Amino acid sequence: MKISEITNYLESLAPKSMQESYDNAGLIVGNPNQEVKNVLVCLDCTEEIIAEAHQKGCELVIAHHPIVFKGLKSITGANYVERVVLEAIKKDIAIYASHTNLDNYNLGVNFQIGQKMGLENLKILAPKRSVLYKLSVFVPLENLDQLSSALFQAGAGSIGNYKDCHFYTKGTGTFRPVEGANPFSGELNELSKVDEVKAEYLVRKHDLGKVLFAMKMNHPYEEVAHDIIALENENQQEGSGMVGDLPEAMNTMDFLAMLKSTFGCGVIRHTRPIKDQVKKIAFCGGAGSFLLPHAKRERADVFVTGDYKYHEFFDAENHLVIADIGHYESEQFTSNLIADILKKKFTTFAVHITGINTNPINYF
């Protein structure tokens, strides 16, 4: 098994195009053609993680957080980032990161957090815009099913929890083949009229290339008439944070106690409880304070995240309870998520979850 086979599969679920502009997900150190027999999964790639990977014979470390966010102008071991890169290169260990693309994946980091809290009716808190296209293709009616099947298989036609969606209208297409053409029907220099349909499909940005390839390979015409239109629609399957419901309303302090136990928090920093019972919970793994307006819009009772600053707590304004459980604490189960994804897909290499707690924060 090559590294590229593993990373290609991970990116088929959480493509790098889904990451935020500041991020650096992907293969950071290593040769994509390197063979792999053992993989170590972690939240943060540190010097201790590289040592653990070496001790366990792992050729690849898959981390949630990228060890390199910005370009390195030198690699001299002057700081922990440079030392990790140096050690990985010396020990021939590749480093891969799946970060905000895995956060924005609808079955990714936040989905798992929601499951840990036992929430129901989970949905994206802040769905992405400008990541969808409408593809319109003109095709003879008798070829529609074959073409649609190929486009669906390539990723077109998904709307929320529905697949294989398209809409078509019947009409008449006209064309006149000229010198050099090899028409599917009709004669050179003669105007032809054909009963056609205009078929429309929703396509995600990261699927557009392979959908267009499938269209050209499965369309009967040598010149395919089609339109690609960028949409401002929200993509309900991609975005930041999530919101869901507790099966039954809970006492506010009991809910906070459950959070502390479930995520092993040293402490939970929270705003004043404003009601006795809570049921709708908004949340975001890592640093999610930017999602507070979305949590308010959803009328959430609690907003759970990490890395809240002092003055940001005032922004609750008695609309909800802000609960800061810690960055590491909120995302600690991401290693299990990645390991489960790999184990379900591959059986040709061993997947190890780190035994090292990489949380840089301690509580006294």
Side-chain angles (χ1 to χ4, degrees):
M1 181 65 64
K2 294 181 179 180
I3 289 176
S4 59
E5 295 176 78
I6 300 170
T7 59
N8 286 344
Y9 177 68
L10 291 175
E11 289 170 18
S12 72
L13 304 176
K16 288 195 296 182
S17 61
M18 286 170 56
Q19 70 179 312
E20 300 298 333
S21 58
Y22 61 82
D23 203 5
N24 189 37
L27 187 62
I28 296 172
V29 174
N31 181 352
N33 293 316
Q34 181 179 351
E35 294 288 336
V36 174
K37 293 182 179 178
N38 290 276
V39 173
L40 182 65
V41 184
C42 60
L43 188 67
D44 306 284
C45 189
T46 63
E47 294 168 86
E48 292 78 13
I49 292 292
I50 296 298
E52 181 186 14
H54 181 65
Q55 187 269 327
K56 292 180 176 178
C58 297
E59 301 88 355
L60 172 64
V61 170
I62 299 179
H64 181 45
H65 297 137
I67 183 62
V68 177
F69 267 101
K70 299 178 181 179
L72 298 176
K73 294 186 177 180
S74 63
I75 306 178
T76 63
N79 54 55
Y80 85 96
V81 173
E82 293 181 14
R83 290 193 296 272
V84 167
V85 173
L86 276 173
E87 280 300 301
I89 293 172
K90 285 194 291 186
K91 290 182 167 59
D92 200 20
I93 296 172
I95 302 174
Y96 179 84
S98 185
H99 190 210
T100 53
N101 49 327
L102 194 60
D103 290 332
N104 290 330
Y105 174 42
N106 68 310
L107 298 178
V109 175
N110 289 302
F111 183 79
Q112 189 185 52
I113 294 171
Q115 288 187 313
K116 289 291 182 182
M117 289 190 287
L119 302 182
E120 303 172 338
N121 308 316
L122 289 168
K123 67 175 185 177
I124 298 290
L125 181 60
K128 293 285 187 184
R129 294 183 180 273
S130 303
V131 293
L132 292 172
Y133 292 86
K134 182 169 74 173
L135 173 65
S136 300
V137 188
F138 299 85
V139 61
L141 180 59
E142 60 266 26
N143 300 103
L144 175 61
D145 289 345
Q146 176 186 342
L147 178 65
S148 293
S149 178
L151 297 189
F152 294 151
Q153 191 172 354
S158 291
I159 304 176
N161 294 322
Y162 295 85
K163 291 187 175 182
D164 299 354
C165 305
H166 74 316
F167 180 83
Y168 67 89
T169 51
K170 296 181 180 180
T172 301
T174 66
F175 60 90
R176 187 190 303 274
V178 296
E179 196 66 34
N182 182 26
F184 174 73
S185 62
E187 301 295 333
L188 287 178
N189 299 313
E190 292 186 7
L191 183 65
S192 295
K193 294 183 179 181
V194 181
D195 291 331
E196 293 182 334
V197 296
K198 178 185 180 183
E200 300 176 293
Y201 310 84
L202 201 62
V203 183
R204 294 172 296 182
K205 182 178 181 179
H206 53 265
D207 288 329
L208 185 59
K210 59 184 179 180
V211 168
L212 291 176
F213 179 78
M215 177 192 73
K216 293 176 182 178
M217 294 301 294
N218 291 275
H219 199 288
Y221 295 170
E222 63 174 344
E223 296 291 348
V224 183
H226 64 285
D227 302 323
I228 304 171
I229 302 173
L231 302 176
E232 286 297 312
N233 303 48
E234 292 181 343
N235 181 5
Q236 298 293 334
Q237 301 300 303
E238 177 183 342
S240 303
M242 296 196 92
V243 61
D245 300 309
L246 290 164
E248 296 181 0
M250 290 182 66
N251 173 271
T252 302
M253 299 311 296
D254 288 344
F255 174 76
L256 293 177
M258 181 273 287
L259 275 183
K260 187 171 184 179
S261 174
T262 300
F263 294 92
C265 305
V267 66
I268 293 181
R269 301 160 63 233
H270 63 88
T271 55
R272 181 175 63 85
I274 58 174
K275 58 174 72 172
D276 292 334
Q277 302 281 310
V278 295
K279 185 172 176 64
K280 180 170 282 192
I281 313 298
F283 56 95
C284 178
S289 61
F290 68 99
L291 291 172
L292 181 62
H294 298 272
K296 289 180 178 179
R297 195 173 303 124
E298 289 289 335
R299 299 183 183 276
D301 299 313
V302 185
F303 179 43
V304 181
T305 189
D307 291 353
Y308 242 87
K309 296 180 180 179
Y310 173 82
H311 291 285
E312 292 175 335
F313 280 99
F314 287 105
D315 295 332
E317 296 185 304
N318 291 325
H319 290 288
L320 42 60
V321 174
I322 294 173
D324 182 341
I325 65 173
H327 194 125
Y328 175 89
E329 287 79 4
S330 68
E331 294 186 328
Q332 62 186 294
F333 301 112
T334 302
S335 298
N336 302 79
L337 169 67
I338 295 172
D340 289 344
I341 289 172
L342 294 176
K343 289 176 181 178
K344 288 177 182 178
K345 176 65 177 178
F346 302 106
T347 58
T348 52
F349 58 87
V351 179
H352 307 270
I353 298 176
T354 181
I356 297 173
N357 183 331
T358 59
N359 191 357
I361 298 172
N362 291 276
Y363 302 97
F364 179 72

